[in-house]
Structure formats: C-alpha cells, structure tokens
C-alpha cells in the first residue's frame, strides 16, 4: 500500500481501510452506530474507535477524524497510515493510543461539513443549560450567504453585499462573522445547534469508555482541512479556556503552534469546539491539544463551496446538474485528491505523532 492508498474516495472505503489496518495492528475495535442517519445507499453509519495499549495507561495519544464530515478524508488517511506504518511502536511504554474515526459519519458519507442536524459539530460543545453565545455580525450576512436563488440577479446582489461588507469591515472580519459560530439560524452556516448532537454525545461517551480514569497526560490531534496554504498542516492550539496550556502544546509540538484567540492563526476565534469535551476528563490530566489544519484551495473558493452546499440543502435539488456541481465543489474544498497533497498530509501527521510521543514520554 502506498501513501496515496492510505486515503479513500468515500466514507465506506475509508471505514473499511481503517478497520482492516487497525485489526492487523492488533487494536481493539468498537463501533458506535448513528441511529438517526443512514448513508447514501441506505448503509449503516458508524463512528469507529481503535485502541492500542494498556487499558490502565496513564498517558494517552488521541486522534480524531471527520469532526467536519467532508474533511474526514484527510484524518482517515493519516490514521490508516499510522497503523500501516506501525507508528504506534514509537509510543513510550505504558501509553495508550485511541483513534476516533469519523466522529461525524453522516457528514463524511454525504460530503457535508455538518451533521445530520445541519449542525457544525465544532460549534456544538456548549452548555445548553445556559444562554448561548450571540453572533450579531452573522445576522448581518446570513441572507447574503444563502440567497433565495443560487444563480442570476439575486445571487449577484448577494455577492455584491458580501463584497461591500468586506470592504467596510475587512475580509477577516467577514470570516469571523461567518465562521465564529451562531445559534439562531438552523439553515445557516456554522450553526451550533440548540442541543447536543449524537456525535457530541458519542465523543463524550468515547472519552468515558476508552480513556483510562487514571490518565495523567493526554495529547490530542484533531484533523481539519480548508484553511491556509495548500498541503501545509497548521498546528492550532485548541485547549479549552482554563484547561491545558498553550505553552505546553508549543513545547511539545513546536514554535509554529498558533492560537486563534491571539490572532496568530488562519482560523477565526470560534465557540463551542470539540475540545470542550475534555472538561469531562479527570481533573489531574495534563492536556496537550491541537488541531492540524491543512490548506486545500484559496479561502474564497472554500466560502463559495460552503455557501453552495448550504443553499443546496436548504433550497436546491441535489439530483440536478447544479446540485451535482455544488457537491463536487464541497468535496474539492476540503479534500485535494492528488498524490502530492496526500503525501504532505501524511508526512506532517506522522511527524506530529512522533512529537506527541516525545511529549508524552517527557
């Protein structure tokens, strides 16, 4: 199997490869079936977890693929390669690897960034018993992001309004308004939901069932795509406020670690991210948490693809020629299906796995 073959063309192929390579490596496998959704062919959708190492380990290496479903091709390839190349053999003694494959299987299978609820999973980790964050700037751009018609004068007017907003406030301010997370428009972009999704509940269950209660150190990598230079994996610090340490993550993963909260990242500051679930871990744990964000196409093309996908599922026809074109756009925005890109993705992932192992050993 070549590095290019670590990656897959569909969710079903990715799941088969992940399970086969994990089993060949001697990992234990657990499947969590999503009861609320099926795949394009009516197939069962699962999040699969592979574990290697002692169940009572005090150090854990955790990886997550498919938080944003259509981005799952990247993380899945990295995880398959981890097993195929037996990178786990470099883990320090007494360490446990927990590989979470396709935490958002619906989005992966249907080439959507969101869950079956149209929820951005990486905005869904909120305390829903409290008032949800407000994103007033999003309200200013929502109608432009998803116009009534995708083509014609209405679309042209919406694009002109977005351009005017960017000229007035700046391109990054527009990105922040659009992507920071919003909780008022269920058909909109980056909607965080009104309650925990199945994927949210499942990830918390995985932490309870597969991370030992006596864990003292946990190094986590969540794989993402769509921001930054093509093929470059930006390490973004994502530790929850008051837990973990940016300095610790930088000491383990290197000085190139960025932070959206300090304005050093290609990512805007966001709310309700998956690492909030790490608050469920035992209080003694020393957390080292990053996202590896790989660039694909220029940001305007990513925004175009996201807008088109949400418009399609709110107002369009997925079986039309336009619908098929919009689905190709969303796949291309988050998965660069070329050998050089895949090699860059896997090389960076393998490098960061070894960095994590050194940090867990120290």
């Amino acid at each position: 199997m070549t590095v290019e073959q670590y990656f897959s063309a569909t969710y079903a192929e990715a799941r088969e490869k992940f399970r086969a390579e994990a089993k060949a490596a001697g990992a234990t496998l657990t499947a969590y079936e999503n009861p609320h959704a099926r795949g394009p062919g009516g197939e069962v959708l699962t999040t699969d977890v592979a574990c290697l190492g002692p169940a009572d380990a005090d150090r854990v290496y955790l990886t997550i693929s498919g938080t944003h479903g259509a981005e799952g091709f990247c993380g899945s390839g990295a995880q398959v390669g981890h097993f195929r190349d037996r990178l786990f053999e470099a883990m320090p003694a007494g360490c446990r690897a927990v590989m979470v494959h396709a935490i958002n299987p619906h989005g992966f299978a249907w080439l959507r960034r969101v869950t079956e609820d149209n929820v951005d999973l990486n905005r869904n980790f909120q305390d829903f018993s409290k008032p949800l964050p407000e994103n007033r700037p999003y309200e200013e751009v929502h109608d432009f992001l998803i116009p009534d018609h995708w083509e014609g004068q209405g679309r042209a007017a919406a694009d002109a309004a977005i351009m005017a907003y960017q000229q007035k406030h700046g391109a990054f301010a527009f990105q922040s308004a659009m992507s920071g997370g919003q909780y008022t428009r269920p058909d909109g972009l980056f909607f965080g939901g009104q309650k925990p999704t199945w994927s949210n509940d499942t990830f918390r269950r995985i932490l309870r069932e597969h991370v030992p209660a006596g864990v003292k150190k946990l190094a986590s990598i969540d794989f993402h795509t769509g921001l930054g230079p093509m093929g470059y994996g930006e390490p973004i610090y994502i530790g929850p406020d008051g837990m973990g340490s940016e300095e610790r993550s930088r000491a383990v993963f290197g000085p190139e670690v960025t932070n959206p909260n300090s304005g050093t990242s290609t990512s805007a500051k966001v709310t309700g991210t998956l690492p909030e679930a790490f608050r469920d871990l035992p209080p003694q744990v020393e957390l080292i948490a990053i996202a590896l964000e790989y660039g694909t196409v220029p940001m305007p093309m990513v925004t175009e693809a996201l807008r088109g996908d949400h418009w399609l599922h709110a107002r369009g026809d997925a079986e039309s020629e336009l619908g098929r074109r919009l689905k190709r756009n969303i796949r291309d925005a988050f998965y660069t299906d070329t050998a050089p890109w895949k090699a860059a993705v896997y090389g960076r992932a393998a490098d960061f796995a070894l960095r994590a192992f050194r940090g867990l050993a120290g």
Side-chain angles (χ1 to χ4, degrees):
M1 184 183 287
T2 65
V3 167
E4 188 174 3
Q5 291 171 327
Y6 296 166
F7 297 80
S8 301
T10 65
Y11 157 80
E13 180 187 355
R15 179 177 189 261
E16 182 178 350
K17 284 184 181 178
F18 174 82
R19 291 184 62 87
E21 294 301 328
K23 185 177 180 181
T28 59
L29 282 160
T30 307
Y32 297 84
E33 180 180 338
N34 186 333
H36 308 298
R38 288 291 185 269
E43 65 272 25
V44 168
L45 299 177
T46 65
T47 292
D48 293 277
V49 180
C51 295
L52 275 167
D56 60 350
D58 62 359
R59 286 163 290 178
V60 170
Y61 174 62
L62 171 71
T63 67
I64 307 137
S65 67
T67 299
H68 292 137
E71 302 175 23
F73 299 101
C74 166
S76 175
Q79 290 173 321
V80 167
H82 182 99
F83 288 121
R84 185 71 177 188
D85 289 343
R86 304 188 70 85
L87 298 182
F88 55 85
E89 292 181 348
M91 288 194 304
C95 185
R96 179 174 175 84
V98 179
M99 304 288 189
V100 182
H101 185 266
I103 189 60
N104 172 11
H106 175 270
F108 198 166
W110 287 93
L111 293 178
R112 298 212 68 201
R113 196 171 175 277
V114 294
T115 68
E116 63 273 12
D117 323 272
N118 201 53
V119 169
D120 185 318
L121 181 60
N122 216 34
R123 308 294 184 274
N124 184 242
F125 286 80
Q126 296 283 0
D127 182 347
F128 289 97
S129 68
K130 298 179 180 179
L132 295 171
E134 293 185 358
N135 185 350
R136 293 180 182 177
Y138 181 84
E139 295 297 325
E140 299 179 37
V141 301
H142 172 79
D143 291 336
F144 309 141
L145 291 170
I146 310 179
D148 290 336
H149 302 282
W150 188 247
E151 299 176 315
Q153 293 183 348
R155 168 68 189 283
D159 288 355
I162 290 174
M163 182 63 68
Y165 186 96
Q166 291 178 325
Q167 290 173 344
K168 181 179 180 180
H169 301 283
F172 196 74
F174 170 71
Q175 180 184 337
S176 297
M178 176 183 67
S179 66
Q182 55 89 13
Y183 299 85
T184 56
R185 302 281 192 150
D187 65 338
L189 278 67
F190 300 92
F191 175 60
Q194 294 290 323
K195 63 181 181 179
T197 61
W198 174 85
S199 292
N200 180 330
D201 289 337
T202 299
F203 185 66
R204 294 180 188 275
R205 181 181 174 187
I206 289 167
L207 293 181
R208 291 194 304 270
E209 295 181 356
H210 298 288
V211 175
V215 62
K216 295 179 180 178
K217 280 188 177 184
L218 185 144
S220 171
I221 299 177
D222 188 8
F223 291 97
H224 289 267
T225 62
L227 292 177
M230 177 176 283
Y232 173 66
E234 177 189 348
I236 304 175
Y237 171 69
I238 55 173
D241 290 342
M243 182 182 184
S245 166
E246 180 180 356
E247 292 75 20
R248 185 187 305 135
S249 294
R250 189 167 285 118
V252 170
F253 290 115
E256 66 265 47
V257 171
T258 64
N259 188 343
N261 296 337
S262 59
T264 59
S265 175
T266 58
S267 172
K269 184 178 180 180
V270 300
T271 182
T273 58
L274 180 142
E276 291 294 322
F278 292 141
R279 297 187 189 278
D280 299 350
L281 293 172
Q284 77 275 2
V285 67
E286 184 179 293
L287 178 65
I288 308 161
I290 64 164
L292 266 183
E293 177 78 49
Y294 291 92
T296 49
V297 296
M299 187 63 196
M301 295 177 66
V302 175
T303 300
E304 169 89 356
L306 283 170
R307 292 175 64 201
D309 186 63
H310 280 267
W311 176 87
L312 177 63
H313 287 270
R315 298 182 173 89
D317 176 10
E319 299 303 318
S320 67
E321 175 55 35
L322 174 59
R324 288 190 287 271
R325 174 159 55 86
L326 294 176
K327 294 311 292 183
R328 287 194 297 271
N329 289 348
I330 200 75
R331 187 179 191 271
D332 291 344
F334 296 108
Y335 180 43
T336 303
D337 195 0
T338 66
W341 188 84
K342 295 171 187 176
V345 164
Y346 179 64
R348 184 75 157 166
D351 176 19
F352 271 68
L354 298 178
R355 297 189 198 192
F357 298 160
R358 288 194 293 268
L360 290 169

